[in-house]
Amino acid sequence: MEYIICKNYEEVSLLGAAILAKQINKNPKSILGLATGSTPVGMYKKLVEMHKKSGLDFSEVKTFNLDEYYPIKKSNDQSYDYFMRDNLFSHINIKKENIHLPNGESSDPDKECAAYEKMIADAGGVDIQVLGIGVNGHVGFNEPENELKLATHLTGLTKNTIEVNSRFFKKIEDVPTKALTMGMGTINKAKSILLLITGKSKAPVVKKLFSGVVTTAVPASFLHLHPDVTVLLDEAAAELL
Ligand code: PGA
């Protein structure tokens, strides 16, 4: 696991976008694994700018998102489907059929998860998987538990995650209590991983992440077992290192 400490959020966003743009320019048919949350928003803004100003071409790019609430309608402005359209897909030339997210509207979540896992494999696997990290160490919705699931699955959200995510909802009762998420195995199958961590609130979990152990109490620690992970941190997130 390599890490780069950037000055601030802006620099993390710029560098993250540059890494993804380099991948797309190297292989216009790249398969990107994407994440939601506050952290990647700035990076998506930069990618939109690169598309508009310098013609960064997404016409052959395929994307697979990490997770989605369950159940949730795609039209709900808190769905990750909505978030991705709003922050990235509506502003670039990606083809609709090349965009994939776990379907929060599915009536059969287990079947949906198995199909999602197969779709990623059939596409040839993810080239770069973008990730954020929760203050509790989760990646996607792989929450701290006694054991972690390998494949894409339906999961319950921890109380902590519901509380943290309630900032986006009118009231805490509106936060879905379940989600569909890639598993740690799905994530670690990506050819490379780009983990973005910004802000002071993440400093304690960054300290745990770099404490030299792998533990299900910090699901992100399993990324240490992957041979090609780049972590971009800002100075605030790195302050306890
Ligand atoms: P955040 O979420 O980017 O909004 O901090 C990250 C996560 O929970 O994985």
Side-chain angles (χ1 to χ4, degrees):
M1 186 178 278
E2 304 257 343
Y3 69 91
I4 301 171
I5 300 178
C6 303
K7 205 164 173 43
N8 50 31
Y9 180 81
E10 173 78 8
E11 272 191 20
V12 168
S13 303
L14 252 179
L15 185 53
I19 291 170
L20 291 185
K22 191 173 166 200
Q23 170 68 36
I24 295 167
N25 287 327
K26 189 177 79 180
N27 176 11
K29 296 189 172 187
S30 287
I31 302 188
L32 307 181
L34 298 179
T36 52
S38 315
T39 313
V41 168
M43 181 181 73
Y44 293 149
K45 274 209 180 88
K46 300 285 172 206
L47 286 174
V48 170
E49 260 174 55
M50 288 172 170
H51 168 67
K52 295 208 162 132
K53 293 194 182 142
S54 14
L56 181 63
D57 182 16
F58 292 84
S59 62
E60 300 299 326
V61 168
K62 281 190 184 149
T63 63
F64 286 91
N65 261 77
L66 254 188
D67 49 12
E68 175 63 283
Y69 288 120
Y70 187 83
I72 199 160
K73 292 253 182 260
K74 292 177 207 254
S75 55
N76 184 323
D77 64 4
Q78 291 310 324
S79 75
Y80 290 168
D81 198 283
Y82 189 103
F83 173 101
M84 289 308 300
R85 279 180 276 131
D86 196 32
N87 284 287
L88 184 64
F89 299 147
S90 305
H91 312 289
I92 58 173
N93 65 333
I94 191 163
K95 292 190 183 111
K96 227 177 166 178
E97 64 268 28
N98 286 344
I99 296 171
H100 306 89
L101 286 97
N103 182 6
E105 296 182 356
S106 168
S107 57
D108 187 341
D110 291 339
K111 198 168 155 200
E112 169 64 23
C113 290
Y116 198 69
E117 191 76 22
K118 184 170 183 305
M119 237 189 316
I120 299 171
D122 289 350
V126 168
D127 292 305
I128 297 192
Q129 176 67 54
V130 175
L131 298 175
I133 185 172
V135 288
N136 68 353
H138 74 198
V139 277
F141 282 115
N142 295 280
E143 303 278 28
E145 306 261 13
N146 289 336
E147 50 185 36
L148 299 174
K149 295 234 167 74
L150 288 170
T152 303
H153 60 284
L154 174 70
T155 187
L157 271 49
T158 58
K159 199 165 162 271
N160 174 272
T161 295
I162 292 172
E163 277 164 12
V164 170
N165 289 10
S166 67
R167 71 192 193 274
F168 299 115
F169 291 81
K170 280 200 195 84
K171 49 186 195 308
I172 196 162
E173 294 76 29
D174 292 344
V175 185
T177 55
K178 289 182 186 162
L180 307 173
T181 182
M182 288 185 188
M184 282 315 300
T186 326
I187 292 167
N188 269 345
K189 274 187 203 159
K191 290 167 195 123
S192 63
I193 289 175
L194 180 62
L195 172 58
L196 310 179
I197 316 180
T198 59
K200 206 178 163 63
S201 68
K202 302 285 171 69
V205 79
V206 167
K207 192 174 175 198
K208 284 187 199 158
L209 178 62
F210 288 101
S211 68
V213 296
V214 168
T215 167
T216 63
V218 183
S221 65
F222 279 81
L223 300 172
H224 283 290
L225 305 178
H226 190 288
D228 187 357
V229 180
T230 304
V231 188
L232 304 185
L233 300 147
D234 67 357
E235 284 177 0
E239 76 177 12
L240 301 178
L241 278 188

